[in-house]
Amino acid sequence: MTAHDAVTPATSPTAGPASGPSPAEELLALLDGRRLSPAQRRIAHYLLENLTEVAFLSSMELAERVGVSQPSVTRFAAALGFSGYPELRAALRPIALRAPESGIHGQRVAGNELQAALESDQANIEALHKYAADPSRLARLGSDLAASEPLSVLGLRMSGPVAAYFAYGAARIHPDVRVIDTPGSTAHEALLQTAAAGGTWLVAFVLPRYAAESVTVLRTAGELGLKTAVVTDVPLVPFAHLADVLLPVGVGSRSVFDSHAAPMAFAALLLQALADAAPERTQERLEAYEALAEARGFYVDK
């Protein structure tokens, strides 16, 4: 289905106002599931808040109001599946003309979008139950990661914070965790050192927008004989063949920047599997850390 097809039911003469989707629902459906850049999401938010205006603006006028370049507007239309901005504007006009009749103004549409963003995160977190329903898979992976000394963790660009959270927790319960958060030659050198030291696994967080450097690092890991556990957003990613274990976890794409609520929750599940794989070592290391934290006053007492 093309983006133009997605708005056809609302403009069909057989779809009455009582049974058809509301203007807000049509707009959200138009944007749903699209992988947009931050600049394109700014355009989307402006569209949601100013529908009746945008539907009659030129691409240059829209670019000036949003504060982006005119090519960004053209790329935005293409990202929604239209051949160009004029086609997108033509699809928006019937929706805009219905908006006042339905009593839905820009603020309400934007509010719906905020709710939709939270609902998207909730759905992604709910989907994690598939891993809990078959804990043996995570248990096996946790055992493999626990046995890898050293254990490397990759996270570049926007994937970095999730990788850093996992690596921080893993370092509490694993004797040698090495973080790769800088692209370039140092990343490949770090993998070489991991392999030379006897490490067998790389945990890679490759979330959209996928960093090209991450794919290169995955390829190097395979060449060095390291196995890879790749946390990404969907199964059909172009680098799936580079993963020994592919772990799809939904990413919220309703906001200007992706929400990594579900990947963060999954990282906690993976840490649990890592801890359970070596319970005695986990307990020993956690107790040593707590003793040091208390002695050095790492934390503020309640």
Side-chain angles (χ1 to χ4, degrees):
M1 178 181 292
T2 66
H4 186 70
D5 292 332
V7 298
T8 301
T11 59
S12 170
T14 61
S19 59
S22 69
E25 291 170 337
E26 289 183 75
L27 283 177
L28 295 178
L30 192 64
L31 298 168
D32 189 40
R34 305 293 179 178
R35 181 56 57 194
L36 304 177
S37 70
Q40 291 167 353
R41 293 185 195 183
R42 287 178 59 192
I43 300 172
H45 278 281
Y46 189 88
L47 166 62
L48 290 167
E49 294 174 354
N50 303 276
L51 169 62
T52 55
E53 175 192 5
V54 172
F56 298 92
L57 293 177
S58 69
S59 61
M60 184 62 71
E61 290 170 333
L62 177 57
E64 291 176 353
R65 283 165 172 74
V66 179
V68 299
S69 66
Q70 190 275 336
S72 293
V73 175
T74 301
R75 287 192 290 268
F76 172 71
L80 298 187
F82 294 95
S83 61
Y85 177 72
E87 184 186 6
L88 169 61
R89 184 175 56 187
L92 291 175
R93 284 179 176 175
I95 307 175
L97 293 173
R98 289 180 53 235
E101 300 173 6
S102 304
I104 295 182
H105 303 289
Q107 290 82 357
R108 184 174 172 188
V109 175
N112 287 346
E113 175 68 2
L114 293 176
Q115 290 178 337
L118 293 176
E119 290 170 356
S120 175
D121 277 335
Q122 291 172 344
N124 288 334
I125 291 175
E126 283 292 324
L128 293 181
H129 284 288
K130 67 184 178 184
Y131 291 106
D134 181 18
S136 61
R137 184 187 185 197
L138 276 187
R140 289 193 300 270
L141 179 57
S143 179
D144 290 337
L145 299 182
S148 178
E149 296 185 26
L151 172 65
S152 287
V153 180
L154 171 69
L156 303 179
R157 298 187 183 273
M158 284 294 283
S159 301
V162 186
Y165 167 77
F166 174 80
Y168 181 83
R172 296 276 189 89
I173 57 179
H174 188 286
D176 192 352
V177 176
R178 304 185 183 185
V179 182
I180 302 174
D181 55 9
T182 304
S185 60
T186 56
H188 302 280
E189 291 172 7
L191 287 181
L192 178 62
Q193 293 166 6
T194 293
T200 53
W201 279 86
L202 167 70
V203 179
F205 293 85
V206 190
L207 303 170
R209 303 169 71 191
Y210 314 119
E213 301 101 320
S214 295
V215 179
T216 303
V217 172
L218 288 176
R219 189 171 291 112
T220 296
E223 293 170 354
L224 292 173
L226 295 173
K227 293 185 177 181
T228 56
V230 180
V231 180
T232 189
D233 60 325
V234 293
L236 299 178
V237 288
F239 45 87
H241 64 288
L242 299 175
D244 292 282
V245 177
L246 190 68
L247 302 159
V249 179
V251 167
S253 59
R254 292 284 195 172
S255 304
V256 173
F257 293 100
D258 283 336
S259 169
H260 291 166
M264 288 291 282
F266 178 77
L269 295 180
L270 193 55
L271 283 171
Q272 184 66 47
L274 180 62
D276 292 343
E280 293 182 1
R281 184 178 72 183
T282 295
Q283 185 64 25
E284 179 182 348
R285 291 183 62 84
L286 288 178
E287 288 180 357
Y289 175 83
E290 290 302 326
L292 180 63
E294 183 177 355
R296 294 292 181 265
F298 286 177
Y299 303 103
V300 177
D301 293 334
K302 294 182 180 179

